[in-house]
């Protein structure tokens, strides 16, 4: 590897050289703020008479096809932008939007700058174009280079930035010669790799200026960079480009979900690239095998995110779930859908599973359980269900009747933050839930489902109508109406009676007092009679009331002539019955195997108090133990082998771990002790602290528990 600081003109300047952007590179991605900074820098270079200006780095190596062709490993964004800027300068001169001081030599000067930055006139074979972008950018770039203005690709980032530069040039007082001189003073670090250099390692170590790479950009480069040119082209077209299409050209979250499914733990998005590399190294898969497997999962990811499975009724449920606005369940949805196809589960069973998912969401929303608690649940949910089937197979006992029934069983036995709300918890929550404290996407979901129910005659635009379209300045056409208004008039106070303050405070924002309307701003705090029967406003316009409403949620309002506490409670009960009619309490017929060893995954909610452990599994290896104390000491010893420095830090900090012996502490390594004479729940807390310090996913630890009637006599 060699490198030195050089004017960017020198890099572009070879008459027979070409620069190829490898197809594994991301699309051209500079935004207006990046272009603004470059243009302002150029102006400052000239007006402040700077001798040079650092512009980042360019990393290149020979293509292996021709000695005069270079692959741009890093710096393609800067090189492409300079090319776009030069084209804008030339075209502005030709359109008389940029002043030329040496008018007599204008054509020669234009030709010179074209030969320096855009055209390799000395090339004897191949395209004479100096810079060759990747396929999706090439069309827009080539049309600019030809000056084919009629066919410019206006929605391309390349054309958008070209237009930005043209506008700035036209507004500037600098001349053509000034820009040419300023460009000469841009300097970069020119790094040229030898054949023995690993471009991936070089790529990772760079910290260049410009637009940062996404984690997906880095992963794409990692997967494609080490392949030869033919393999790159084949894998890009067969796998990676299709992955990008399936994810709307933003695959970062898909990759995180993919890793979560594989590892059963959620990687930090900022560390996704390195976690991905670690996974590849651990699995010892080739790059092609990795892309093939990712492509397989991406197909199901697309079906879920676009609600385009082969089944129309499943797609409808997926649309409902999409309206919730949360993606924390994607890992389960994708993993299950892939499994369903492999096992030929069929439409009915797939529909049942997603109905259970919707039920789970709706009840938790109503009971105000946070969605972030579902991250860990969903990432292992499919694993827990299939584990039940594996246990039956291992013991040669007839398998459960359906996946959906086992899914209900797994959800119902969950405790802590992942609990499933039953009716005794749901009813009081429904009566008092303050709807305006529910996140807005959840509100859209609940009102759409409560309005349409299971009817085939549905309002298909409920969510769209409630959202409006801020981008196109379209206001919502459907809004939530408070039947009892937010500000009580004297007439309303009289109607509600002497306890109006308490009634207003308790029920104002509950479902019992809310409906849907297209007249929210008009209704305001008018009397119930006016809201029900309609009225004529001050402009003489007839405003229809609840009696003429097309919304099912207003049906009960057509039957009552007043709105007091009795009517509010009556409607609240009706809506609750409608809610549980949509999402009745889950019941499972699955009966666990008698005297089976229960297999549970360690997580935030793990509390196996009064249960006897027979073994634990760490990184997939089983370790038999006689009690929880034995488990904790053995686990600490295993963790110490791989994370010595982190464990020693834990011990120096104290708390559950220590560097000094005591009667309550057990030694697990030289100078390392753990407080092990305590309750099971305290041991779980110690493990969480240890795993957090060592950055170990909870899912790497699992417990085998004996039946509940067997007590661990070794527990202290």
């Amino acid at each position: 590897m060699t490198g030195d600081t050089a004017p960017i003109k020198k890099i572009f300047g070879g008459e027979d050289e070409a620069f190829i952007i490898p197809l594994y590179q991301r699309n051209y991605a500079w935004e207006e703020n990046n272009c603004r900074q470059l243009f302002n820098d150029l102006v400052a270079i000239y007006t402040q008479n700077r001798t040079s200006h650092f512009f980042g780095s360019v990393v290149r190596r020979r293509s292996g096809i021709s000695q005069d062709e270079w692959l741009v490993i890093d710096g393609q964004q800067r090189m492409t932008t300079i090319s776009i800027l030069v084209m804008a300068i030339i075209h502005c001169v030709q359109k008389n939007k940029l002043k030329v001081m040496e008018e007599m030599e204008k054509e020669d000067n234009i030709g010179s700058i074209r030969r320096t930055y855009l055209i390799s006139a000395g090339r004897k074979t191949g395209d004479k174009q100096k810079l060759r972008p990747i396929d999706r950018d090439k069309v827009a770039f080539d049309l600019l280079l030809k000056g084919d203005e009629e066919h410019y690709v206006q929605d391309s980032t390349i054309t958008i930035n070209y237009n930005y530069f043209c506008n700035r040039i036209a507004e500037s007082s600098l001349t053509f010669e000034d820009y040419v001189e300023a460009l000469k003073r841009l300097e970069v670090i020119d790094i040229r790799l030898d054949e023995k250099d690993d471009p991936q390692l070089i790529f990772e170590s760079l910290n260049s200026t410009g637009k940062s790479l996404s984690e997906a950009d880095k992963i794409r480069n990692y997967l494609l960079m080490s392949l030869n040119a033919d393999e790159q082209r084949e894998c890009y077209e067969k796998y990676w480009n299709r992955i990008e299409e399936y994810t709307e050209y933003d695959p970062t979250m898909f990759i995180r979900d993919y890793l979560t499914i594989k590892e059963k733990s959620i990687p930090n998005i900022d560390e996704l690239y390195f976690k991905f590399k670690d996974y590849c190294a651990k699995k010892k898969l080739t790059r092609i095998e990795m892309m093939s497997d990712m492509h397989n999962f991406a197909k199901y990811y697309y079906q879920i995110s676009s609600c385009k499975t082969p089944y129309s009724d499943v797609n409808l449920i997926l649309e409902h779930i999409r309206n919730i606005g949360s993606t924390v369940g994607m890992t389960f949805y994708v993993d299950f859908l892939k499994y369903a196809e492999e096992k030929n589960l069929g439409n009915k069973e797939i529909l049942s599973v997603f109905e259970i998912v919707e039920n789970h969401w709706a009840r938790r929303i109503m009971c105000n359980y946070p969605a972030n608690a579902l991250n860990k649940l969903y990432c292992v949910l499919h694993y827990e269900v299939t584990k039940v089937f594996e246990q039956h197979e291992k013991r040669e006992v007839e398998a459960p009747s359906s996946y959906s029934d086992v899914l209900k069983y797994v959800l119902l036995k969950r405790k802590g933050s992942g609990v499933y709300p039953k009716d005794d918890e749901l009813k009081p929550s429904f009566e008092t839930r303050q709807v305006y404290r529910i996140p807005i996407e959840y509100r859209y979901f609940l009102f759409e489902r409560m309005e349409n129910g299971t009817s085939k005659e549905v309002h298909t635009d409920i969510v769209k109508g409630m959202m409006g379209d801020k981008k196109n300045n379209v206001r919502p056409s459907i809004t939530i109406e408070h039947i009892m208004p937010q500000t009580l008039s004297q007439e309303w106070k009289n109607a509600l009676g002497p306890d109006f303050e308490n009634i207003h405070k308790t029920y104002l924002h509950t479902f019992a007092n809310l409906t849907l309307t297209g007249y929210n701003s008009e209704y305001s705090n008018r009397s119930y009679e006016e809201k029900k029967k309609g009225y004529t406003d001050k402009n003489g316009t007839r405003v229809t009331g609840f009696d003429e409403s097309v919304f099912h949620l207003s049906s009960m309002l057509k039957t009552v002539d007043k709105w007091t506490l009795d009517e509010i409670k009556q409607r609240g009960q009706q809506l609750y019955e409608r809610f549980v009619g949509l999402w009745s309490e889950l019941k499972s017929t699955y009966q666990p195997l008698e005297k089976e060893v229960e297999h549970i995954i360690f997580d935030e909610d793990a509390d196996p108090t009064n249960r006897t452990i027979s073994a634990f599994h760490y990184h997939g290896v089983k370790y038999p133990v006689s009690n929880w104390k034995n488990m904790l000491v053995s686990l600490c010893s295993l963790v110490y082998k791989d994370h010595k420095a982190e464990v020693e830090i834990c011990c120096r900090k104290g708390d559950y771990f220590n560097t000094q012996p005591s009667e309550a502490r057990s030694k697990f390594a030289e100078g390392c002790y753990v407080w092990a004479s305590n309750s099971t729940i305290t041991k779980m807390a110690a493990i969480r602290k240890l795993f957090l310090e060592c950055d170990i996913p909870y899912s790497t630890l699992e417990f085998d528990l004996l039946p509940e009637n067997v007590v661990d006599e070794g527990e202290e």
Side-chain angles (χ1 to χ4, degrees):
M1 178 177 69
T2 59
D4 51 36
T5 302
I8 199 162
K9 175 186 174 182
K10 181 179 178 182
I11 295 177
F12 274 105
E15 290 190 358
D16 57 356
E17 292 187 324
F19 296 90
I20 301 169
I21 309 298
L23 54 82
Y24 57 74
Q25 293 279 24
R26 61 176 171 172
N27 288 350
Y28 177 66
W30 264 33
E31 297 172 352
E32 183 177 306
N33 62 309
N34 304 110
C35 295
R36 181 186 303 112
Q37 184 64 55
L38 171 60
F39 194 87
N40 291 344
D41 288 341
L42 282 176
V43 172
I45 289 169
Y46 186 80
T47 57
Q48 298 174 17
N49 197 27
R50 299 179 187 172
T51 57
S52 65
H53 178 80
F54 179 64
F55 190 49
S57 63
V58 172
V59 181
R60 51 180 170 144
R61 69 170 176 174
R62 301 286 183 186
S63 68
I65 299 173
S66 171
Q67 281 298 303
D68 56 13
E69 286 186 350
W70 294 90
L71 296 178
V72 182
I73 306 302
D74 187 63
Q76 66 120 331
Q77 302 289 325
R78 287 177 288 282
M79 293 189 72
T80 306
T81 305
I82 291 296
S83 301
I84 295 169
L85 174 59
V86 169
M87 287 189 278
I89 291 171
I90 291 172
H91 294 165
C92 282
V93 170
Q94 293 171 336
K95 295 177 182 179
N96 295 317
K97 293 183 178 181
L98 176 60
K99 184 178 179 180
V100 178
M101 297 301 293
E102 300 175 7
E103 187 67 31
M104 296 294 293
E105 300 179 14
K106 180 171 74 173
E107 293 303 322
D108 288 342
N109 289 337
I110 289 177
S112 176
I113 194 174
R114 278 178 62 85
R115 289 190 298 274
T116 299
Y117 294 98
L118 303 176
I119 301 297
S120 294
R123 285 181 64 79
K124 295 181 174 61
T125 60
D127 193 346
K128 295 184 182 299
Q129 187 172 314
K130 188 155 288 189
L131 182 71
R132 300 180 200 170
I134 62 173
D135 291 350
R136 287 199 300 274
D137 291 329
K138 194 174 188 306
V139 174
F141 187 90
D142 290 356
L143 289 169
L144 288 180
L145 190 60
K146 293 175 183 177
D148 188 358
E149 189 168 354
E150 182 180 350
H151 297 101
Y152 284 173
V153 184
Q154 295 298 337
D155 61 350
S156 167
T157 305
I158 284 180
T159 310
I160 291 169
N161 288 349
Y162 164 82
N163 290 331
Y164 172 81
F165 285 133
C166 287
N167 292 333
R168 289 295 305 271
I169 290 168
E171 296 168 357
S172 174
S173 60
L174 269 61
T175 66
F176 170 77
E177 289 81 4
D178 297 337
Y179 286 114
V180 172
E181 183 59 33
L183 284 168
K184 291 179 182 178
R185 301 179 192 178
L186 283 179
E187 291 189 345
V188 296
I189 298 175
D190 180 20
I191 302 173
R192 299 173 297 283
L193 303 183
D194 301 325
E195 289 185 7
K196 63 182 180 180
D197 293 321
D198 185 340
Q200 182 65 32
L201 295 178
I202 301 295
F203 178 80
E204 290 177 11
S205 65
L206 291 170
N207 184 24
S208 305
T209 59
K211 184 176 175 64
S212 299
L213 293 174
S214 71
E215 294 300 290
D217 291 329
K218 299 173 187 175
I219 289 168
R220 179 197 57 236
N221 288 11
Y222 169 76
L223 289 170
L224 292 170
M225 190 178 283
S226 65
L227 305 178
N228 64 44
D230 290 339
E231 290 174 329
Q232 283 182 13
R233 172 63 61 182
E234 180 182 359
C235 290
Y236 177 79
E237 293 177 352
K238 187 176 181 180
Y239 301 125
W240 187 264
N241 189 48
R242 293 179 184 177
I243 290 171
E244 291 198 329
E245 289 174 348
Y246 286 141
T247 59
E248 297 185 347
Y249 296 97
D250 187 12
T252 295
M253 295 309 296
F254 159 71
I255 296 172
R256 186 174 80 158
D257 288 337
Y258 172 80
L259 274 185
T260 300
I261 291 169
K262 294 295 185 178
E263 297 282 76
K264 297 190 291 294
S265 65
I266 305 166
N268 187 313
I269 198 71
D270 296 329
E271 300 173 351
L272 189 58
Y273 169 61
F274 293 105
K275 293 291 185 183
F276 185 87
K277 283 187 63 181
D278 290 344
Y279 172 74
C280 292
K282 181 171 65 177
K283 292 298 181 181
K284 298 180 181 179
L285 297 172
T286 67
R287 308 296 168 85
I288 296 174
E289 289 171 335
M290 276 299 304
M291 282 184 279
S292 175
D293 192 53
M294 291 171 67
H295 171 256
N296 191 20
F297 275 86
K299 290 186 298 184
Y300 301 103
Y301 191 90
Y302 170 75
Q303 289 183 20
I304 296 293
S305 58
S306 64
C307 306
K308 292 182 179 178
T309 73
Y311 314 106
S312 58
D313 46 3
V314 172
N315 295 339
L316 182 59
I317 291 289
L318 289 175
E319 287 177 7
H320 297 161
I321 295 171
R322 183 170 63 181
N323 287 336
I324 293 170
S326 175
T327 60
V328 299
M330 281 297 286
T331 50
F332 171 71
Y333 311 154
V334 171
D335 213 7
F336 164 70
L337 198 60
K338 180 175 179 291
Y339 173 88
E341 183 172 302
E342 292 171 349
K343 298 293 184 179
N344 296 312
L345 294 190
N347 173 45
K348 185 177 179 181
E349 181 65 1
I350 295 172
L351 179 63
S352 295
V353 166
F354 283 111
E355 285 176 338
I356 293 167
V357 168
E358 186 192 36
N359 181 306
H360 187 242
W361 269 107
R363 284 177 164 253
R364 285 181 60 89
I365 289 170
M366 189 54 64
C367 293
N368 199 23
Y369 284 118
N372 58 6
L374 296 178
N375 272 312
K376 294 183 176 65
L377 182 152
Y378 277 123
C379 84
V380 297
L381 186 55
H382 176 67
Y383 173 77
E384 290 185 330
V385 174
T386 55
K387 199 75 178 177
V388 171
F389 286 91
E390 289 174 7
Q391 288 171 349
H392 279 259
E393 183 178 353
K394 185 177 180 180
R395 295 179 61 177
E396 298 182 346
V397 177
E398 183 180 358
S401 60
S402 68
Y403 183 104
S404 57
D405 199 38
V406 177
L407 174 62
K408 288 186 281 189
Y409 163 76
V410 170
L411 289 174
L412 288 169
K413 73 173 186 175
R414 272 275 172 174
K415 299 178 181 179
S417 60
V419 70
Y420 172 81
K422 296 186 177 181
D423 286 348
D424 57 355
E425 181 181 4
L426 176 68
K427 192 173 192 314
S429 294
F430 187 91
E431 292 172 352
T432 59
R433 185 75 155 108
Q434 299 295 295
V435 173
Y436 277 83
R437 292 182 181 176
I438 298 176
I440 192 165
E441 291 87 356
Y442 293 179
R443 273 183 260 159
Y444 295 154
F445 162 71
L446 290 173
F447 273 101
E448 187 276 330
R449 297 294 287 120
M450 292 282 283
E451 170 61 28
N452 286 325
T454 58
S455 173
K456 294 184 179 180
E457 297 180 1
V458 300
H459 298 284
T460 58
D461 59 352
I462 294 291
V463 172
K464 183 178 179 181
M466 294 181 75
M467 290 177 62
D469 187 350
K470 291 183 180 179
K471 184 177 180 180
N472 295 308
N473 201 29
V474 177
R475 298 181 63 185
S477 59
I478 300 173
T479 54
I480 299 173
E481 165 68 9
H482 289 80
I483 304 166
M484 172 178 56
Q486 299 191 64
T487 302
L488 293 178
S489 64
Q490 188 59 49
E491 185 176 1
W492 267 103
K493 293 177 181 178
N494 294 339
L496 290 169
D499 197 28
F500 70 86
E501 286 186 0
N502 186 47
I503 295 172
H504 191 256
K505 180 180 178 181
T506 304
Y507 294 101
L508 176 64
H509 297 309
T510 63
F511 270 99
N513 189 55
L514 299 172
T515 190
L516 296 176
T517 182
Y519 294 99
N520 182 271
S521 59
E522 288 87 346
Y523 284 159
S524 187
N525 67 340
R526 289 180 177 271
S527 68
Y528 178 74
E529 182 179 6
E530 289 178 299
K531 290 187 177 188
K532 172 181 165 57
K533 296 181 178 180
Y535 58 90
T536 301
D537 67 16
K538 61 182 179 182
N539 297 319
T541 302
R542 172 66 181 170
V543 177
T544 61
F546 299 142
D547 283 348
E548 300 173 66
S549 175
V550 298
F551 295 109
H552 178 89
L553 287 173
S554 296
S555 296
M556 184 259 187
L557 306 178
K558 301 175 183 180
T559 66
V560 296
D561 296 322
K562 59 180 179 175
W563 197 247
T564 66
L565 179 60
D566 288 341
E567 287 74 28
I568 293 172
K569 287 184 174 181
Q570 180 186 345
R571 184 167 182 266
Q573 178 61 27
Q574 288 182 1
L575 292 181
Y576 172 73
E577 291 171 0
R578 186 168 179 80
F579 186 98
V580 295
L582 282 168
W583 302 297
S584 59
E585 183 179 312
L586 295 179
K587 305 287 185 182
S588 175
T589 61
Y590 173 71
Q591 294 295 321
L593 294 171
E594 292 183 7
K595 297 182 179 179
E596 66 172 322
V597 172
E598 184 180 357
H599 194 83
I600 68 169
I601 302 173
F602 176 70
D603 61 16
E604 286 283 359
D605 300 321
D607 179 16
T609 299
N610 296 326
R611 298 297 301 276
T612 299
I613 186 171
S614 62
F616 71 94
H617 302 250
Y618 180 62
H619 284 300
V621 180
K622 182 177 180 179
Y623 300 91
V625 290
S626 58
N627 55 51
W628 288 105
K629 181 176 182 179
N630 181 215
M631 180 280 302
L632 179 60
V633 176
S634 299
L635 175 64
C636 289
S637 179
L638 291 169
V639 172
Y640 180 82
K641 291 178 182 178
D642 296 327
H643 303 274
K644 180 178 178 182
E646 292 89 343
V647 173
E648 289 177 347
I649 290 173
C650 265
C651 292
R652 287 196 293 271
K653 287 181 178 179
D655 202 359
Y656 301 105
F657 302 90
N658 210 291
T659 59
Q660 300 298 320
S662 76
E663 187 176 342
R665 297 176 192 144
S666 298
K667 180 179 178 180
F668 61 88
E670 192 62 40
C672 294
Y673 301 83
V674 60
W675 178 28
S677 297
N678 48 37
S679 66
T680 307
I681 195 169
T682 304
K683 292 180 176 69
M684 297 300 107
I687 296 171
R688 291 188 193 99
K689 181 178 179 63
L690 180 65
F691 278 25
L692 183 64
E693 187 73 45
C694 299
D695 192 26
I696 301 172
Y698 288 163
S699 59
T700 60
L701 177 63
E702 302 175 32
F703 303 129
D704 287 347
L705 305 180
L706 295 180
E708 293 194 41
N709 61 341
V710 180
V711 180
D712 181 1
E713 297 180 356
E715 184 65 65
E716 296 181 59

